[in-house]
Every structure is written in structure tokens, then in C-alpha cells.
Amino acid sequence: MIGVLCGVHPSLVSYWLSEGDIPLMERNFTEESMRRIRTYRAGSEG
């Protein structure tokens, strides 16, 4: 809602919402990049 109120195109807001639920962009990373991302996420959670 904030994005739409601030003038962000509704399709981009929709993309952001679906990206939060299902990591769509992960398919574009190599396996090495995904390993590094998972390692970073695991380290920042604890």
C-alpha cells in the first residue's frame, strides 16, 4: 500500500510482494552464489 501511495507502479509492488513469498530471483543465481547467500542468511539470523 505504501508503495502505491508513493507513486510506485502497482505491477512493481505486486512483484515485490510475490518476491517476498517466493524468492523468484534465486533461479538467476549460480549454485556458488546461492551457497554464499545461504551462508550469509544463516549468519545474520543468529
Side-chain angles (χ1 to χ4, degrees), residues 12-42:
L12 183 56
V13 173
S14 176
Y15 174 78
W16 286 338
L17 293 173
S18 64
E19 181 72 11
D21 293 335
I22 304 169
L24 300 172
M25 294 303 292
E26 286 187 3
R27 66 177 173 233
N28 295 327
F29 291 112
T30 64
E31 186 56 40
E32 173 64 17
S33 295
M34 283 308 303
R35 185 186 62 74
R36 292 170 52 198
I37 291 168
R38 288 184 195 109
T39 301
Y40 174 78
R41 286 179 181 166

